[in-house]
Amino acid sequence: MKRKFRQILMRFFLVMGCSTLCLQIRGAITEVHAAALPRVVLSAEFLAPRPIEQRTGETVTHDYAQAWQDLAEGLNANRTDLLGDYFTGEAKLRLTKRISDQKKAGLRTHYQDNGHRVKAVFYSVDGGEMQLEDQVQLEIQIFDGPKMIYTANSTQKYLVLMTPGSDRWYVRSLESVPNDAF
Amino acid sequence: MWRMIRNFCVVMVASALPALSQTVTIHAPSSVSAGSSFAIATSGRGSATFYLVGPSHVLKRTIALGQEITILGQDVTSSGSYQAVACGSEGCVNTVFQVLPSAPARLSFLLHPSRVPVSTPNAVNGTALVSDRFHNTVIAPAKVDFRLSLAGESSTRSVQTTRGVAWFEMGSRPKQGALQVVASLGDTTEPRVIQQVASDACGLRMTATPVGHLVKLETDAIRDCAGNPLPDGTIVSFTKTDNAGRSTVDTPIKKDKAIAQFQVSGPARISVACGVVAGNEVSLGGRP
């Protein structure tokens, strides 16, 4: 009797495990988790008006992860030169200004990036703009010289606009939004 | 006398106690509008170092605790999450607040393509991005009007933004010419122009006229099915097949027509085509 119950229980967990895995595969079109890059999971179930191609999804996911890595390194080392590869437009301007101000004030910011859940919500008909909603787990530490003046571990939401370049997607706008924004 | 001195000391210590035990606090409104000045309240005594860390700006200055810190609008122009920190001798305290976009004031308008054939379904699309005067994306819904006009006819579509984006898609109009599309948001307007050009040729037809040893070929005025003349420079191909073999002449349309001439040997067949459209075929009996 005990053995039968154990078998039923095992079958139940097996079925549950499989169905969870299937849901994850359907929900996430692509995922990047290279050793050095932050973990980014992109889903595009409600994307409109243009559907996203698999290859484009992979590129966007990789380039967005790369952009966050550059952002984190730039803010930690106060180096604006790290922003040139994956940021453009307003996002690049703002981050460059932030890093310059940090440098002047003797501050630096350390981001411990614990992963992004990204939802692609708008992809223009001509393929020229893609808007993303990102929910990121961040541990933020701000230092004034060697002294830590601020630390927080929180979930933040970002509204992102990405545009394609010749060989990659660039982050054109990266704005943190209130938690109830989406 | 001693009792008076003792009482005085007790009163002094008692009055100083709350101040000594008063901890440093910092309090900001939970959200403010981008570009608006506001105040951050502090409590405590003495001086501290104040930090304001935002998406595009960092501020560091010495403040007197217990007094309000005035934050100027120019220090909070970028929307997003800000950290305000005050560090005194006993450590640091902080508060986090959100800067929200101000009123919609700017439009970035992208219209695609720049040139389009007439009467083509879903060939024209436009995307408008709405932001405030500091380039912050306005998330709250706003109404964007797209006014389309061509040759005196005009129409308007109103689209509500979602997360700062409004877009439309439509077919091109039947008449060729400059299709002007103006995106507007309140007093802000962004005009763009698409050139509508004739579509494929319709009823392509040529005539052959013998001139000495040659045959002169000339098309009728080449127009699309809506009657728009195809632009000058559009290539028309004449193909001749005779005893000498097969040869083709590509010639551009000039003043609505295409003209070419061939030398023929023996019976010949000549056909005309423009893009994917084939025209009529002419048969010739021999040397003219």
Side-chain angles (χ1 to χ4, degrees):
Chain A
M1 183 67 185
K2 223 176 190 181
R3 198 173 159 187
K4 201 171 180 185
F5 177 72
R6 199 183 297 160
Q7 276 179 347
I8 290 169
L9 205 65
M10 274 178 70
R11 275 180 199 165
F12 172 76
F13 282 124
L14 193 68
V15 169
M16 285 301 287
C18 286
S19 58
T20 310
L21 188 67
C22 290
L23 281 173
Q24 280 174 349
I25 291 166
R26 274 186 62 193
I29 69 154
T30 184
E31 183 172 337
V32 163
H33 192 197
L37 293 179
R39 184 169 179 267
V40 174
V41 180
L42 176 75
S43 68
E45 289 147 305
F46 304 105
L47 187 59
R50 180 186 167 127
I52 192 171
E53 300 81 12
Q54 179 70 25
R55 181 79 189 109
T56 305
E58 287 165 9
T59 309
V60 165
T61 307
H62 172 270
D63 294 352
Y64 187 61
Q66 191 72 58
W68 267 94
Q69 191 196 37
D70 290 355
L71 183 157
E73 285 181 11
L75 286 173
N76 194 36
N78 283 334
R79 283 179 57 189
T80 53
D81 60 300
L82 295 173
L83 302 174
D85 288 346
Y86 291 92
F87 287 96
T88 190
E90 193 62 24
K92 190 176 173 185
L93 282 175
R94 288 183 180 194
L95 286 167
T96 302
K97 173 86 170 38
R98 158 85 181 255
I99 291 173
S100 303
D101 280 7
Q102 276 196 172
K103 209 171 180 177
K104 266 186 244 164
L107 305 187
R108 67 182 179 90
T109 306
H110 174 74
Y111 278 173
Q112 175 65 47
D113 192 327
N114 294 321
H116 301 252
R117 275 174 50 206
V118 179
K119 200 160 78 172
V121 287
F122 174 77
Y123 188 19
S124 65
V125 179
D126 64 343
E129 306 89 38
M130 189 182 293
Q131 195 179 44
L132 313 172
E133 290 177 352
D134 180 15
Q135 186 171 303
V136 55
Q137 285 287 338
L138 275 183
E139 197 180 322
I140 305 169
Q141 293 171 335
I142 303 174
F143 294 87
D144 185 354
K147 180 185 170 190
M148 186 164 71
I149 58 163
Y150 174 86
T151 182
N153 193 350
S154 63
T155 301
Q156 290 203 3
K157 291 185 174 178
Y158 285 86
L159 190 62
V160 186
L161 184 70
M162 293 188 79
T163 53
S166 55
D167 63 344
R168 68 191 62 185
W169 281 76
Y170 289 94
V171 175
R172 184 167 286 276
S173 166
L174 180 72
E175 296 170 66
S176 69
V177 293
N179 277 336
D180 58 355
F182 50 82
Chain B
M1 182 65 184
W2 279 112
R3 182 178 281 182
M4 270 182 70
I5 292 170
R6 197 184 64 190
N7 287 346
F8 177 74
C9 288
V10 167
V11 168
M12 286 300 287
V13 169
S15 62
L17 266 177
L20 286 171
S21 64
Q22 194 174 13
T23 53
V24 177
T25 61
I26 182 168
H27 182 73
S30 59
S31 66
V32 294
S33 182
S36 302
S37 300
F38 67 102
I40 294 178
T42 66
S43 67
R45 288 166 67 94
S47 65
T49 306
F50 173 73
Y51 304 88
L52 182 68
V53 181
S56 66
H57 188 53
V58 173
L59 197 67
K60 179 185 177 184
R61 66 178 188 230
T62 304
I63 54 157
L65 290 170
Q67 292 179 5
E68 282 194 338
I69 308 163
T70 303
I71 304 294
L72 299 175
Q74 67 193 34
D75 293 323
V76 286
T77 54
S78 299
S79 65
S81 182
Y82 283 68
Q83 291 90 30
V85 184
C87 291
S89 55
E90 291 176 3
C92 297
V93 289
N94 68 71
T95 183
V96 175
F97 63 94
Q98 196 76 26
V99 172
L100 303 173
S102 58
R106 285 175 184 270
L107 265 182
S108 300
F109 182 35
L110 300 126
L111 189 65
H112 189 84
S114 56
R115 194 175 161 93
V116 66
V118 296
S119 303
T120 310
N122 298 330
V124 177
N125 64 78
T127 304
L129 306 168
V130 177
S131 56
D132 67 8
R133 66 193 171 106
F134 304 110
H135 299 279
N136 299 308
T137 303
V138 176
I139 303 167
K143 195 185 80 169
V144 177
D145 292 327
F146 297 103
R147 186 167 180 274
L148 304 105
S149 52
L150 174 69
E153 292 174 22
S154 67
S155 63
T156 302
R157 289 177 183 215
S158 292
V159 180
Q160 186 105 318
T161 60
T162 307
R163 295 172 301 271
V165 178
W167 66 278
F168 74 92
E169 186 179 39
M170 61 164 211
S172 56
R173 303 296 174 89
K175 280 184 192 166
Q176 71 174 3
L179 171 69
Q180 190 178 51
V181 185
V182 180
S184 61
L185 172 86
D187 296 334
T188 309
T189 56
E190 282 290 332
R192 300 284 183 271
V193 172
I194 284 182
Q195 195 62 38
Q196 287 204 161
V197 296
S199 189
D200 292 329
C202 201
L204 178 62
R205 190 180 156 72
M206 68 170 168
T207 51
T209 312
V211 181
H213 299 288
L214 305 168
V215 174
K216 186 183 174 193
L217 305 160
E218 183 176 336
T219 64
D220 295 347
I222 303 175
R223 297 176 185 278
D224 66 12
C225 295
N228 300 297
L230 266 68
D232 281 6
T234 306
I235 298 296
V236 175
S237 302
F238 296 93
T239 303
K240 174 202 75 167
T241 309
D242 63 4
N243 291 340
R246 183 186 163 95
S247 64
T248 298
V249 169
D250 291 332
T251 182
I253 294 174
K254 205 170 176 183
K255 292 183 180 169
D256 297 351
K257 293 179 179 179
I259 295 167
Q261 51 185 25
F262 276 120
Q263 191 166 17
V264 292
S265 59
R269 282 202 331 270
I270 303 172
S271 62
V272 63
C274 181
V276 294
V277 175
N280 64 325
E281 194 174 275
V282 175
S283 296
L284 301 167
R287 184 183 284 270

